[in-house]
Amino acid sequence: MLTPELLHALHNLPLAAKRAAEGLLHGAHASRRRGAGLEFSQYRPYQPGDDLRRLDWRLAARSDRYYLRESEVDTSLVVHLVLDATASMNHRDDNGLTKLDYGRLLCAALAYVASQQGDAVALTILHPAGLRHLPPRADARQLPRLYHALETAEATGSFPDAATLAPLTARRQPALIICISDLYEEEGEIERLLTRLRAASGEVLLLHLLARNELEFTFRGAVTFEDLETGRTLQLDADQQRRAWQQHLQQWLRDTAQRARTHAFDYYQLNTSEPLTNALREFLRRRSRG
């Protein structure tokens, strides 16, 4: 099983996404039906009442018979990936990866898995300068577009304001929203965004990124911590404060999980030192649940 640091060391996001998903897609099949879609599948004879726009006129000219082009279209999901790219995602774990590095790999792998299942994939990257948004597509060029957006994403500033987020929450389209974030917020702005997205799209899977050095508080001795979004600093003795830190963190995580359940989000905690497999399995489980 490939670790996040090994995937990151490939320096090839498309390859890393594919390698992360290997083994998970065995036995998983796209949910498809015949109809008017993107990928041509077969012909069938014309019947009264059929949509004439799907008639193959060239074949009719050659054969003097009327046939409709049928395609395979997915019957399941639009998957909308929402990546937090605020400055706090620059937090670096002991394995050398930042939360943005992990989130980038996870987004790419989720997009690859969703694409293999026949789902249309959208991506929104959140940062204060504005939204980087790729609308949902299921064509062959969507993954390269998405990989490029992820590769060029940088974590800066604080969470976007309501005016910046307005176009995102104004869209009303049934989708599975997958939000990847560390959930560091000043006044509940991430929670409000996800609540509005759930109202607009129907379902939210919240993947909460936590570094191992946060969870286990692996720091030693005198340490100066800096808030990556505000610049505020705090000096403390890590050995003396470890127990209090972990108690405070566990209470925050319990409260966060409870609030997520209150809003009917599917909530899942991820350790950025661990493989992506659990998150990908959670997506497939959620997808199969329908």
Side-chain angles (χ1 to χ4, degrees):
M1 190 176 297
L2 290 174
T3 62
E5 52 266 38
L6 287 176
L7 291 173
H8 183 67
L10 292 173
H11 298 294
N12 184 321
L13 197 57
L15 177 60
K18 185 176 181 180
R19 294 290 300 276
E22 283 178 351
L24 286 176
L25 294 175
H26 179 69
H29 300 285
S31 194
R32 295 181 179 271
R33 62 177 170 80
R34 304 294 180 191
L38 296 172
E39 182 181 345
F40 172 69
S41 176
Q42 65 179 18
Y43 290 104
R44 72 167 174 81
Y46 170 79
Q47 297 176 355
D50 283 336
D51 186 351
L52 291 177
R53 290 175 297 181
R54 291 163 52 206
L55 200 66
D56 191 316
W57 294 103
R58 291 184 180 179
L59 184 61
R62 293 197 305 268
S63 66
D64 203 28
R65 295 184 179 183
Y66 298 103
Y67 290 92
L68 268 66
R69 294 174 62 89
E70 280 202 329
S71 304
E72 290 185 337
V73 296
D74 71 282
T75 60
S76 48
L77 291 175
V78 169
V79 177
H80 184 178
L81 301 167
V82 178
L83 176 63
D84 181 353
T86 55
S88 63
M89 294 287 282
N90 282 321
H91 177 90
R92 194 175 300 276
D93 203 353
D94 295 337
N95 62 4
L97 268 67
T98 67
K99 290 180 180 178
L100 183 64
D101 291 332
Y102 190 92
R104 186 184 286 120
L105 288 168
L106 182 54
C107 263
L110 285 166
Y112 177 82
V113 171
S115 179
Q116 291 298 303
Q117 297 300 290
D119 299 329
V121 184
L123 172 68
T124 300
I125 300 175
L126 304 173
H127 52 77
L131 303 178
R132 179 83 182 270
H133 180 71
L134 297 178
R137 299 286 295 273
D139 61 73
R141 292 170 293 183
Q142 182 71 340
L143 281 181
R145 293 188 200 103
L146 188 143
Y147 293 148
H148 176 72
L150 290 171
E151 286 169 338
T152 56
E154 296 181 358
T156 60
S158 56
F159 205 73
D161 58 25
T164 302
L165 295 171
L168 181 62
T169 56
R171 300 183 183 97
R172 292 193 171 272
Q173 179 182 37
L176 171 60
I177 305 293
I178 303 180
C179 179
I180 299 169
S181 173
D182 60 4
L183 297 186
Y184 287 135
E185 52 188 350
E186 288 289 323
E187 298 177 352
E189 55 270 18
I190 300 176
E191 185 176 332
R192 285 195 298 274
L193 170 63
L194 294 179
T195 301
R196 290 168 182 160
L197 285 174
R198 188 179 187 280
S201 300
E203 301 174 82
V204 171
L205 172 59
L206 177 54
L207 301 179
H208 186 182
L209 301 189
L210 296 153
R212 188 179 76 87
N213 58 14
E214 289 178 296
L215 290 167
E216 300 179 13
F217 204 70
T218 59
F219 309 99
R220 294 287 186 269
V223 181
T224 299
F225 291 96
E226 180 183 355
D227 187 314
L228 295 172
E229 295 187 8
T230 67
R232 293 193 297 262
T233 60
L234 173 66
Q235 293 182 330
L236 55 78
D237 186 305
D239 299 306
Q240 291 180 0
Q241 296 297 323
R242 181 168 293 105
R243 184 176 179 183
W245 169 280
Q246 290 176 320
Q247 288 175 343
H248 179 78
L249 176 65
Q250 291 305 314
Q251 184 60 55
W252 178 63
L253 292 176
R254 286 191 292 270
D255 292 345
T256 299
Q258 179 58 47
R259 287 197 304 273
R261 286 191 292 270
T262 299
H263 292 296
F265 305 153
D266 285 340
Y267 172 79
Y268 201 82
Q269 291 177 14
L270 295 176
N271 185 328
T272 60
S273 69
E274 295 178 352
L276 309 181
T277 312
N278 288 341
L280 300 179
R281 283 200 182 108
E282 177 66 12
F283 165 64
L284 287 173
R285 182 197 67 78
R286 180 63 195 80
R287 184 184 184 279
S288 65
R289 200 172 74 192

